[in-house]
Amino acid sequence: TRADPRRHPTQPGAPPVRVRSDAAGTAGVATGAGGSAADGAAGVARPSGSPPPTVVAGSRAGIVEGVSIRRSGARPHVVVVGAGFGGLATVKGLRHADVDVTLVDRHNYHLFQPLLYQVASALLDPSDIAHPVRSILRSLPNCDFRLATVTGVDLEQRIVRTITGDLGYDHLVLATGSATSYFGNQALAGHAYGLKDLGEALALRARVLDVFEQASRTRSPDARRALLTFVIVGAGPTGVEYAGALSELVHHVLKHD
């Protein structure tokens, strides 16, 4: 059965981030994958050889002439993109630093990805693994949060472009995580569900429950067998854990329904 490859309607895919730079500006970004607490926490780098940004009077993280930037004489402004493990580890590591921090993410929650497979198998509710970012940041007085999708980075001008306005920065950390890789087998991309974010987990859960409903209505054993055949590509932690959770759902929950 061909799976519906569309994402959950409440979780649209983010547009690609465009980075503009010159030779002098490329040293000004530290990156982190966001996959563990250590990612993105190694520190930040400042562009060498590039002139400082134009400083405009205004409150910290306020919109001035379309760009949020620190005011004259204030502390350096650090922008962290991504509220995953790497991004949160970075802002927590800067809690005692003499800097102002803005954390940017397209979701207002931090997703605990190690348990995402349990949402996909209907063993956990989404709220069990999604925690509000602002509540996590309450103990960090030097950190603000902005809900926005990043569309590009201008390294030369030191500006992060977002759909809600531009952010000026002195230091930039990109901890945006990783994307699903099909290792060159693009035929899978049109037939398989990913399991990287909450929208994909909810879409996969809905699909699994839907095929069981279809199987309960069919009279053909062959059609029922086809509907209830699942293939998991990837035998890493997520693939193995999801296989076990799916088996538990089938044999211990849906069997009695």
Side-chain angles (χ1 to χ4, degrees):
T1 303
R2 189 179 190 277
D4 184 359
R6 294 176 296 178
R7 299 168 60 89
H8 191 268
T10 62
Q11 303 290 332
V17 175
R18 298 184 298 276
V19 178
R20 174 187 170 190
S21 67
D22 56 10
T26 54
V29 180
T31 60
S36 67
D39 293 338
V44 294
R46 181 166 185 165
S48 59
S50 59
T54 302
V55 177
V56 183
S59 63
R60 177 173 63 87
I63 300 296
V64 180
E65 296 183 357
V67 178
S68 300
I69 197 166
R70 65 184 179 90
R71 61 186 176 187
S72 181
R75 300 183 297 185
H77 185 205
V78 179
V79 174
V80 180
V81 180
F85 292 117
L88 289 181
T90 300
V91 299
K92 288 180 179 179
L94 294 172
R95 74 167 72 202
H96 300 302
D98 189 25
V99 296
D100 291 323
V101 182
T102 300
L103 179 63
V104 184
D105 197 280
R106 63 192 178 103
H107 301 301
N108 63 356
Y109 58 83
H110 166 70
L111 182 66
F112 191 76
Q113 283 189 321
L115 293 181
L116 193 60
Y117 73 95
Q118 293 199 26
V119 173
S121 56
L123 299 178
L124 284 179
D125 290 328
S127 60
D128 293 329
I129 65 168
H131 305 283
V133 173
R134 287 186 172 89
S135 67
I136 298 174
L137 302 180
R138 284 173 187 165
S139 62
L140 308 178
N142 65 336
C143 184
D144 289 333
F145 175 70
R146 172 171 290 194
L147 178 65
T149 297
V150 174
T151 59
V153 178
D154 188 331
L155 297 179
E156 184 177 356
Q157 299 296 322
R158 279 189 273 180
I159 294 175
V160 176
R161 312 284 186 188
T162 79
I163 61 174
T164 61
D166 296 340
L167 277 168
Y169 67 86
D170 296 296
H171 308 280
L172 175 64
V173 179
L174 296 178
T176 52
S178 58
T180 301
S181 174
Y182 295 95
F183 298 97
N185 191 346
Q186 292 305 312
L188 291 175
H191 294 79
Y193 285 87
L195 194 52
K196 280 285 188 182
D197 59 36
L198 197 55
E200 291 179 338
L202 292 174
L204 180 56
R205 180 175 72 176
R207 174 63 179 175
V208 169
L209 296 178
D210 181 62
V211 296
F212 272 94
E213 292 291 344
Q214 294 181 45
S216 68
R217 297 191 300 265
T218 184
R219 296 180 179 273
S220 169
D222 292 336
R224 185 180 298 111
R225 187 178 302 108
L227 285 169
L228 299 181
T229 298
F230 302 95
V231 177
I232 299 173
V233 180
T238 299
V240 172
E241 289 171 337
Y242 181 68
L246 185 60
S247 177
E248 182 178 347
L249 175 68
V250 172
H251 296 292
H252 298 287
V253 179
L254 297 180
K255 179 179 179 181
H256 302 291
D257 295 338

